[in-house]
Amino acid sequence: MAVAVNESLQQLKQLDEKISAFSSILSLAGWDQKVKAPKKGRSTFAKSMGAVSTEVFKMSISPELGEALEELTKPEVYETLDEKDQALVRDYNHNYTRSKSIPTDLFQEYSVLTGEANQAWEEARANNDFASYQPYLEKMVDFKRKFAEYYGYEDHPYDALMDAFEPGLKVKDIDPIFRDLRESSINLLERIQNSGTKMDRSFLEKNYDTKTQEEFLHNLLPKLGYDTEAGRLDATAHPFAQKVNIGDVRITTRYDEDNLSFALFSTIHEVGHALYEQGVREDLEGTGLNGGTSLGIHESQSRFLENMVGRTPEFWQAHYSDLQETFPEQLKDVSREDFYHAVNSVQPSFIRVEADELTYNLHIMIRYEIEKGLIAGDIEVKDLPRVWNEKMEEYLGIVPDNDSVGVLQDVHWSFGAIGYFHTYSLGNLYSAQILNTIQKEIPGFYEQIAQGDLTQIREWLREKIHQHGSIYQPSQLIEMVTGEKLNSDYLVNYLEEKYSKLYNLK
Amino acid sequence: MAVAVNESLQQLKQLDEKISAFSSILSLAGWDQKVKAPKKGRSTFAKSMGAVSTEVFKMSISPELGEALEELTKPEVYETLDEKDQALVRDYNHNYTRSKSIPTDLFQEYSVLTGEANQAWEEARANNDFASYQPYLEKMVDFKRKFAEYYGYEDHPYDALMDAFEPGLKVKDIDPIFRDLRESSINLLERIQNSGTKMDRSFLEKNYDTKTQEEFLHNLLPKLGYDTEAGRLDATAHPFAQKVNIGDVRITTRYDEDNLSFALFSTIHEVGHALYEQGVREDLEGTGLNGGTSLGIHESQSRFLENMVGRTPEFWQAHYSDLQETFPEQLKDVSREDFYHAVNSVQPSFIRVEADELTYNLHIMIRYEIEKGLIAGDIEVKDLPRVWNEKMEEYLGIVPDNDSVGVLQDVHWSFGAIGYFHTYSLGNLYSAQILNTIQKEIPGFYEQIAQGDLTQIREWLREKIHQHGSIYQPSQLIEMVTGEKLNSDYLVNYLEEKYSKLYNLK
C-alpha cells in the first residue's frame, strides 16, 4: 500500500477508536439515566451527555476524517483494502457524506425543532390534541423533505430517509413485499375472525407477583443463551437492550402484576437483540463495526427468539412446567396447550407495541404508507387523523376512539425518526427467511427447542449472523445466510401455516 | 474588563464547561463499573474510559488553557475578577502548573509504573511478600522525589506532594499539630487500657439479615438529611460516595451478615460526604468548582456525621428503638447504653480502615511519618517493614503478625498517592473544630439530635461549608467557619472528654 493510503487508514482507525470509546461511555450513560439515575440529576446530566455527543459528532465530520475518507474511497484504493477496512470506510463515509450534505444552519434549526416537537407531542398525546402538535409535525416533514433532497435519491425521496436506518433498501424493493404481506395478513385476519375460535387469555391477567416473575426470568436467561456475566437484566418502564461493549450487553423489561406475558415475551425479545451484540467477533471490539448491521437485521434476531422460538409449542414443552410450578395457584388449571394458545391469540387492537404477531405488521404498513405519502407530498399533515383512522378501519377493522391511541401513539416522528418504522416489519420478514434456512441446516431444530437446549441454535445464529457485526450490509447478509434476497414468501407462509393450525382454518 | 481578559475568561469557561461535562460522565462510568457492570465488559470499558480521560487531561494542559491562564493570572487582571472566577483561575492554574512542570517522558514512565506497581502490590499483599513489591515502591518513591523537585517547595519536599491533596498545608503546619494529637492519643489509649473497663461488642456480631439492614438504612437516609431523589444507595465491597452532579450523589456500603455496625456507620460516613456534594450552590453546577474543596474538608464532613453525630448517645436516643424493633431477636437484651458503649469501644488493631475513632489517627501518623521520611531520604524503602512494626508497637502497643496486615495493607502508595493519608486525620481535626463552633451557634445541637431532627444542623453545614463548593481553599474555609486556623486543641479535648466519660477515667 502507498504511504498515503497507510496514513489515511491509520487516521481513520485512530478516529474510529476514539469515537467508539466515547460512544461506549455514552451508551452506558444513556442506560444509567433510564435505569438507575436519581430524578434530580437528570437534566444536568443530559447537558453533560450533550457536550460529549457534540464532540463525537465533531469527530465524525472532522476535516481529518474527510481527508482520510477522500483517499480511502478512491476505487483503486478501496479495492486493495481488506473486508473489515472496506466496511469501516463504507460506514464512516455513508455517515460523513450524509452529515456533510446538510447545511449547518439548517441542521441547527432542525435540532432545536426536535426538542420542541418532542415536548409538543408529549403534551398533545396527554391532551388528545393533534391540532397543537400539527404545526411541529408540519415543520418536521418540511425539514425531512429538504433533507431528502440534500441526501439525494434515484427514485423516491423517501429512499433517502430510509437509508439512514436500513441502508440500501428502497421503496421499489419494499412496496411489492409489503403489499403481499398486507393483503395476505388482512385476508388471514378475516378468516381468523370468522373462524369462531376464541382463545382464553384471561388467566394471563391474574395477579402475578412481580418479584417471582423476575426470579423466573433470571433463571430463564441462561437457558435462552444469554451470557449473564456479559450483561444484566433490570426493570424499566419501556423494555430495551443496550450494548456498552461485547462483554456488557444489558437488557430491561417491565413487570406488570396483572399481566404475565408482557415481561416474559419482552424479555425473550430483548435477549434476541442481546445475543446479536454478545456474539460479535472479539476483533471488532472497540471499532465502529462492533454492533448489529441494521435495525431490520437486529429486529430479526429479537423477533426470531420471541416468536419463532419463544411462542412455539416446543418452547413451552420445555419450560411450561417450570412456569406452572412458579405460579401454581394461577396456572394449576391451565394446560400447556391453553397457555400456548393464549400467548398466540390474535386480536386487532389500537396500540402497535401491544399488537400480536399477525396484526403487528399491519400497524407498520399504516405508518410506512403515511410517511411515504408525507415525504412525496401526497398526504398532508393536517389530514393525518383522518387518514390514520381510515387505514385502521381498512386493515384492522377497528377505529381508535381518539388520537392519543391513534395517530399520536408513537414518539418516533417527534424526534425526527421518519423512515424507521418499516424496519420492524423487515425484522419479521428476515426472521421468517432465517427460520426457513435454519430448519434445513439444523434438522433437529424443534426437537432441540423442546429439550430446552438452544445451544446449537445460538451457535448457528452466531456463526451466520452475530459474529460479523456490521461488516456486511443487511441485503448482503440476508443473501449470504438464506441464499435469497428479502422477500415476503416465508413470512406469508409462516403466518398462514401457524394460524391455520391455531384457529383450525381451512 | 479589557477585551483580552474577557476573551481569556470566555476561553477558560468554555474549557471548564467541557471538562466538567466529560468528568461528570466519567464519574458515572466509574460508579457503574464498581457497582453495576457485568464482569466480562470491564477491561474493555476501562480502555474506553482511558480514552476519554486522556481527552480531559489533554484539555487540562492545552495551549488554549495555558494562554487563558497566562492572561488571567496577571495580578492586575486577577484582582479584577469576582470571587468565583478567581477560584476557577486559581484551581485550573494550580493543576496546569503542576501538570506542565513534569516532563512528558518522565510522566509517561511514571504512568506505566503505577499500573505495574499496583499489580505488584496486589500480589505482594496476597502472598505476604514485601520483597517482591520493594523494587516497585523504590521506583515510586524516586519518581515522587523527582516530582517534588519539579513542583518546587520552600521548606520540605513532602510539601510539594501534599499540596496535590490538601492545598496550602505544609509539614511545618502539620508536624506540631500531629505531635500534640499523637502524644495525647497515646496517653489516652494507655489510660483506657489500664482502666479495666471492657466494652461488650459481641452482640454486634450476631447474625443480622442483610436485607433487613438494607431496609433500615434506606429508612435512615432521609433522617440524616440525605436527599434520596438526588442520589442512591447500593451495595459494594468497599463503601464510597461518588458525585455525578449536584442532583446525583450516590453512596454505597457493604452489608456483613455478622457485623451490624459496619454498614451502619460506613453509611452514615458516606452520607456525610454526600451532604457536602448535594449542598453545593446551584450556580456552581457544571463548573470545576462544583465539588468539595479538599480531601480534608470532605473527610471532616463524613467524620462529623459519623462520629460527632452518629456515635453520640443522643443519636441513639432518637434511633435505637427503631433498630431494636428491626432486630428484636438480636437486640432484645441490649440496652441503649450498652449499644452506645459497644459502638464506641477502643481497641488497638492492625487495620486502619477497621480502627476506632481514637486509634485511627495513630494509624495515620505512622503513614505520615514514613512518607515524610521516604521523601526526605531519611527512611529507605527496604526498611519499611521494620519501621512500620516499630511504630505500631510504639503508638498502638501491638505488632502485626505479617506484612499483609502491616505495611502492605493499603493500596495508596501503589498508585502513587503519597501525601494523601494525612488528609484523613485533617478531617478529624477539622470536624472537632466545627463541632465546637456549631455547638455555640446552635445551642440546641444535642437536643435536636436526640429528637432525630438534623434539619437545622444540615442547613448550618450547608450555609457555612457545603454551598461554597471549591470557592475557598481549606485553610480559608476553616478560618471563615470557626474563626481559627487548624489546630489540635478541639480534637484533643473532644477525645479526652468523650473517652473519660465512656471509660470512667480520672
Side-chain angles (χ1 to χ4, degrees):
Chain A
M1 274 191 279
V3 175
V5 177
N6 255 330
E7 270 177 17
S8 299
L9 203 53
Q10 272 316 99
Q11 192 147 317
L12 172 66
K13 287 186 179 182
Q14 273 171 15
L15 276 162
D16 175 45
E17 200 182 324
K18 215 155 112 178
I19 289 174
S20 298
F22 277 57
S23 303
S24 174
I25 293 197
L26 283 171
S27 170
L28 183 268
W31 173 86
D32 179 80
Q33 295 304 295
K34 281 181 238 157
V35 184
K36 300 290 174 194
K39 193 164 92 171
K40 288 190 183 166
R42 282 186 219 152
S43 68
T44 298
F45 197 77
K47 283 184 214 153
S48 302
M49 283 182 70
V52 178
S53 301
T54 301
E55 289 306 302
V56 174
F57 182 69
K58 278 186 192 163
M59 287 189 264
S60 77
I61 55 162
S62 65
E64 296 77 33
L65 184 64
E67 282 160 28
L69 290 172
E70 198 184 334
E71 179 67 23
L72 296 166
T73 51
K74 288 176 185 164
E76 69 278 18
V77 173
Y78 188 77
E79 68 181 12
T80 66
L81 303 176
D82 68 23
E83 193 176 56
K84 205 169 122 182
D85 292 341
Q86 282 188 342
L88 204 62
V89 170
R90 177 200 67 210
D91 285 356
Y92 271 102
N93 194 54
H94 182 247
N95 186 35
Y96 178 87
T97 312
R98 285 178 71 90
S99 299
K100 281 295 212 185
S101 64
I102 308 293
T104 312
D105 288 358
L106 193 70
F107 193 79
Q108 267 171 356
E109 283 174 52
Y110 167 73
S111 301
V112 173
L113 176 67
T114 54
E116 293 170 353
N118 191 252
Q119 211 181 326
W121 167 77
E122 271 189 25
E123 285 165 27
R125 190 175 68 156
N127 304 325
N128 183 30
D129 179 11
F130 181 80
S132 69
Y133 177 47
Q134 183 184 321
Y136 296 94
L137 191 52
E138 278 167 350
K139 278 188 212 159
M140 185 63 80
V141 170
D142 281 347
F143 271 111
K144 289 290 168 175
R145 295 180 66 180
K146 278 185 202 154
F147 283 14
E149 298 303 320
Y150 282 115
Y151 294 143
Y153 54 87
E154 285 172 20
D155 307 312
H156 197 292
Y158 190 43
D159 292 343
L161 302 180
M162 292 196 295
D163 199 45
F165 302 107
E166 195 73 7
L169 274 182
K170 297 182 196 314
V171 166
K172 72 170 192 282
D173 307 311
I174 297 170
D175 266 357
I177 294 173
F178 274 18
R179 191 192 52 236
D180 283 357
L181 179 59
R182 188 183 64 239
E183 286 174 1
S184 68
S185 297
I186 293 174
N187 173 281
L188 185 54
L189 178 59
E190 257 178 33
R191 284 151 58 218
I192 286 172
Q193 294 187 298
N194 293 334
S195 72
T197 311
K198 281 260 177 270
M199 309 291 188
D200 176 19
R201 284 182 54 91
S202 62
F203 58 83
L204 294 174
E205 284 151 26
K206 289 183 180 171
N207 191 284
Y208 290 91
D209 176 61
T210 57
K211 275 278 161 217
T212 314
Q213 287 189 49
E214 200 178 329
E215 275 167 41
F216 180 82
L217 286 174
H218 276 275
N219 288 330
L220 188 63
L221 290 179
K223 298 174 194 159
L224 296 170
Y226 181 76
D227 182 348
T228 54
E229 290 188 343
R232 45 180 295 133
L233 169 63
D234 291 272
T236 46
H238 304 285
F240 65 95
Q242 187 107 349
K243 180 207 211 111
V244 177
N245 56 47
I246 297 171
D248 186 352
V249 185
R250 308 180 184 194
I251 56 173
T252 74
T253 189
R254 186 183 71 233
Y255 301 102
D256 285 347
E257 207 174 51
D258 52 5
N259 183 338
L260 175 62
S261 61
F262 186 85
L264 200 52
F265 289 98
S266 76
T267 301
I268 302 175
H269 180 96
E270 299 307 333
V271 168
H273 283 301
L275 293 185
Y276 194 175
E277 297 288 337
Q278 286 185 336
V280 173
R281 278 157 49 180
E282 281 294 333
D283 68 305
L284 301 183
E285 184 70 288
T287 76
L289 301 171
N290 88 334
T293 191
S294 74
L295 291 174
I297 299 289
H298 236 302
E299 195 70 7
S300 81
Q301 296 308 292
S302 56
R303 288 292 180 170
F304 184 84
L305 203 70
E306 178 191 351
N307 293 331
M308 274 82 175
V309 174
R311 288 191 207 265
T312 60
E314 291 81 6
F315 186 80
W316 292 106
Q317 199 176 320
H319 302 289
Y320 189 64
S321 60
D322 280 355
L323 189 66
Q324 216 170 15
E325 276 166 37
T326 308
F327 294 108
E329 276 305 308
Q330 297 89 330
L331 296 178
K332 65 173 184 283
D333 299 326
V334 178
S335 72
R336 193 170 82 210
E337 206 183 334
D338 289 345
F339 180 81
Y340 166 68
H341 281 175
V343 299
N344 281 292
S345 68
V346 170
Q347 181 66 54
S349 62
F350 299 134
I351 303 294
R352 174 182 60 85
V353 297
E354 294 167 4
D356 58 72
E357 197 179 348
L358 173 64
T359 59
Y360 189 89
N361 294 310
L362 296 171
H363 288 269
I364 297 303
M365 306 290 164
I366 293 173
R367 289 153 179 81
Y368 171 78
E369 289 164 19
I370 285 177
E371 289 186 359
K372 197 174 60 166
L374 287 170
I375 298 303
D378 303 335
I379 299 177
E380 284 186 70
V381 170
K382 70 170 170 51
D383 296 327
L384 282 192
R386 181 182 50 80
V387 175
W388 184 279
N389 291 355
E390 284 170 5
K391 286 187 186 283
M392 280 294 289
E393 171 124 56
E394 188 185 346
Y395 300 166
L396 288 152
I398 55 175
V399 177
D401 305 332
N402 61 63
D403 293 335
S404 293
V405 294
V407 68
L408 286 171
Q409 70 183 269
D410 292 306
V411 67
H412 301 57
W413 296 338
S414 78
F415 64 81
I418 294 181
Y420 184 117
F421 277 120
H422 70 295
T423 65
Y424 293 119
S425 280
L426 293 182
N428 291 330
L429 290 157
Y430 291 138
S431 69
Q433 272 183 246
I434 292 166
L435 176 65
N436 177 63
T437 306
I438 199 171
Q439 278 182 267
K440 283 188 220 151
E441 300 193 7
I442 303 182
F445 180 76
Y446 287 112
E447 286 78 5
Q448 291 177 16
I449 295 175
Q451 282 152 21
D453 183 3
L454 302 184
T455 317
Q456 203 192 339
I457 295 169
R458 188 193 65 179
E459 288 313 307
W460 188 92
L461 293 168
R462 180 164 287 180
E463 190 203 327
K464 302 286 178 179
I465 299 168
H466 304 171
Q467 64 154 327
H468 303 305
S470 303
I471 288 186
Y472 306 111
Q473 296 278 73
S475 50
Q476 238 180 319
L477 185 67
I478 200 67
E479 219 174 317
M480 280 171 59
V481 176
T482 69
E484 288 182 65
K485 282 192 198 312
L486 175 70
N487 66 73
S488 60
D489 295 351
Y490 298 100
L491 183 59
V492 166
N493 290 341
Y494 162 85
L495 294 169
E496 178 66 30
E497 208 175 308
K498 171 169 184 167
Y499 291 106
S500 291
K501 261 192 219 154
L502 267 161
Y503 282 89
N504 290 313
L505 307 178
K506 286 170 201 154
Chain B
M1 277 189 278
V3 175
V5 178
N6 255 332
E7 271 177 17
S8 300
L9 204 53
Q10 272 315 101
Q11 191 146 318
L12 172 66
K13 287 187 178 180
Q14 273 170 14
L15 276 162
D16 176 45
E17 200 183 325
K18 213 155 114 179
I19 289 173
S20 298
F22 277 57
S23 303
S24 174
I25 293 199
L26 282 171
S27 171
L28 182 269
W31 174 87
D32 177 80
Q33 295 302 294
K34 283 182 235 157
V35 185
K36 299 291 174 195
K39 196 162 90 169
K40 288 189 183 167
R42 283 187 217 152
S43 67
T44 297
F45 197 76
K47 284 184 214 155
S48 303
M49 283 182 71
V52 178
S53 300
T54 301
E55 289 306 302
V56 174
F57 182 69
K58 278 187 192 162
M59 286 188 264
S60 77
I61 56 162
S62 64
E64 295 77 33
L65 183 63
E67 282 161 27
L69 289 172
E70 199 185 330
E71 179 67 23
L72 297 167
T73 52
K74 287 178 186 162
E76 70 276 18
V77 173
Y78 188 77
E79 68 181 12
T80 65
L81 303 177
D82 68 23
E83 194 177 55
K84 203 169 125 183
D85 292 341
Q86 283 188 342
L88 203 63
V89 170
R90 178 200 68 210
D91 285 357
Y92 271 101
N93 194 53
H94 183 248
N95 185 36
Y96 178 87
T97 313
R98 286 178 70 90
S99 301
K100 280 297 211 185
S101 63
I102 309 293
T104 313
D105 288 358
L106 193 71
F107 193 79
Q108 268 171 355
E109 282 174 52
Y110 167 73
S111 301
V112 173
L113 176 69
T114 55
E116 292 170 353
N118 191 252
Q119 208 180 330
W121 168 76
E122 272 190 24
E123 284 166 26
R125 189 176 69 155
N127 304 324
N128 183 32
D129 179 11
F130 181 80
S132 71
Y133 177 47
Q134 185 184 317
Y136 295 94
L137 190 52
E138 280 167 349
K139 277 189 214 160
M140 185 63 80
V141 170
D142 282 348
F143 271 110
K144 289 290 166 174
R145 295 181 65 181
K146 279 185 202 153
F147 283 14
E149 297 304 320
Y150 282 114
Y151 293 145
Y153 54 89
E154 284 173 21
D155 309 312
H156 198 292
Y158 189 42
D159 291 344
L161 302 180
M162 292 195 297
D163 199 46
F165 301 108
E166 194 73 9
L169 273 183
K170 296 182 199 313
V171 166
K172 70 168 196 279
D173 308 312
I174 297 169
D175 267 357
I177 294 173
F178 274 18
R179 193 191 50 235
D180 284 356
L181 178 59
R182 190 183 62 239
E183 287 172 2
S184 67
S185 297
I186 292 174
N187 173 280
L188 185 53
L189 178 59
E190 257 176 34
R191 284 150 58 216
I192 287 173
Q193 292 187 298
N194 294 332
S195 71
T197 311
K198 283 260 177 272
M199 309 292 189
D200 177 19
R201 284 181 54 90
S202 61
F203 59 82
L204 295 174
E205 284 151 24
K206 288 182 178 171
N207 191 284
Y208 291 91
D209 176 60
T210 57
K211 275 277 159 217
T212 314
Q213 287 188 50
E214 199 179 329
E215 274 166 40
F216 179 82
L217 287 174
H218 277 275
N219 288 331
L220 188 62
L221 291 179
K223 298 175 193 158
L224 295 170
Y226 181 76
D227 182 348
T228 53
E229 290 187 344
R232 45 181 295 133
L233 170 62
D234 292 271
T236 46
H238 305 286
F240 65 94
Q242 189 108 348
K243 181 209 208 109
V244 177
N245 55 47
I246 296 170
D248 185 354
V249 184
R250 307 180 185 194
I251 56 173
T252 73
T253 189
R254 186 183 71 233
Y255 301 101
D256 285 346
E257 205 174 51
D258 51 6
N259 184 337
L260 175 62
S261 61
F262 186 85
L264 200 51
F265 289 97
S266 76
T267 301
I268 301 176
H269 180 96
E270 300 307 334
V271 168
H273 284 300
L275 293 185
Y276 195 175
E277 299 288 337
Q278 286 185 337
V280 174
R281 278 158 48 182
E282 282 294 334
D283 68 306
L284 301 182
E285 184 69 287
T287 77
L289 301 171
N290 88 332
T293 189
S294 73
L295 290 174
I297 299 289
H298 235 300
E299 195 70 7
S300 80
Q301 295 310 291
S302 55
R303 288 291 180 171
F304 184 84
L305 203 69
E306 177 191 351
N307 293 331
M308 274 81 175
V309 175
R311 287 190 207 267
T312 59
E314 291 80 7
F315 186 80
W316 292 107
Q317 201 177 317
H319 302 289
Y320 189 64
S321 60
D322 280 355
L323 188 66
Q324 216 171 15
E325 275 166 36
T326 308
F327 294 109
E329 277 303 308
Q330 298 90 330
L331 297 177
K332 65 172 182 286
D333 300 326
V334 179
S335 71
R336 192 170 82 210
E337 206 181 334
D338 290 346
F339 181 81
Y340 166 67
H341 283 172
V343 300
N344 281 291
S345 68
V346 170
Q347 181 67 52
S349 62
F350 299 133
I351 303 293
R352 174 182 60 85
V353 297
E354 295 168 4
D356 57 72
E357 195 179 349
L358 174 63
T359 60
Y360 188 89
N361 294 310
L362 296 170
H363 288 270
I364 297 302
M365 305 291 163
I366 294 173
R367 289 154 179 80
Y368 171 77
E369 290 164 18
I370 285 177
E371 289 185 358
K372 197 174 61 165
L374 287 170
I375 299 303
D378 304 333
I379 298 178
E380 284 186 68
V381 170
K382 71 171 169 48
D383 297 325
L384 282 192
R386 183 181 50 77
V387 176
W388 183 279
N389 291 355
E390 284 170 6
K391 286 186 186 285
M392 280 295 289
E393 171 123 57
E394 189 185 345
Y395 298 166
L396 288 152
I398 56 173
V399 177
D401 305 331
N402 61 63
D403 293 335
S404 293
V405 295
V407 68
L408 286 172
Q409 71 185 267
D410 292 307
V411 67
H412 301 56
W413 295 339
S414 77
F415 66 81
I418 295 182
Y420 183 117
F421 278 120
H422 71 294
T423 65
Y424 292 119
S425 279
L426 294 181
N428 292 329
L429 290 157
Y430 290 138
S431 69
Q433 273 184 242
I434 292 165
L435 176 65
N436 177 65
T437 306
I438 201 172
Q439 278 182 265
K440 285 188 221 152
E441 300 193 5
I442 305 182
F445 179 76
Y446 287 111
E447 287 77 6
Q448 291 179 15
I449 296 176
Q451 283 152 21
D453 183 3
L454 301 183
T455 318
Q456 202 191 341
I457 295 170
R458 189 193 64 178
E459 288 313 306
W460 188 92
L461 293 168
R462 179 164 287 180
E463 188 202 328
K464 302 285 178 178
I465 300 167
H466 302 172
Q467 64 154 326
H468 303 304
S470 305
I471 287 185
Y472 305 111
Q473 296 279 72
S475 50
Q476 238 180 318
L477 186 66
I478 200 68
E479 222 175 313
M480 282 171 56
V481 176
T482 69
E484 288 182 66
K485 281 191 199 313
L486 175 70
N487 65 71
S488 60
D489 296 350
Y490 298 101
L491 183 57
V492 166
N493 291 341
Y494 162 85
L495 293 169
E496 179 66 32
E497 207 175 308
K498 170 168 185 167
Y499 291 107
S500 294
K501 260 191 224 155
L502 266 161
Y503 282 90
N504 290 312
L505 307 178
K506 285 167 200 158

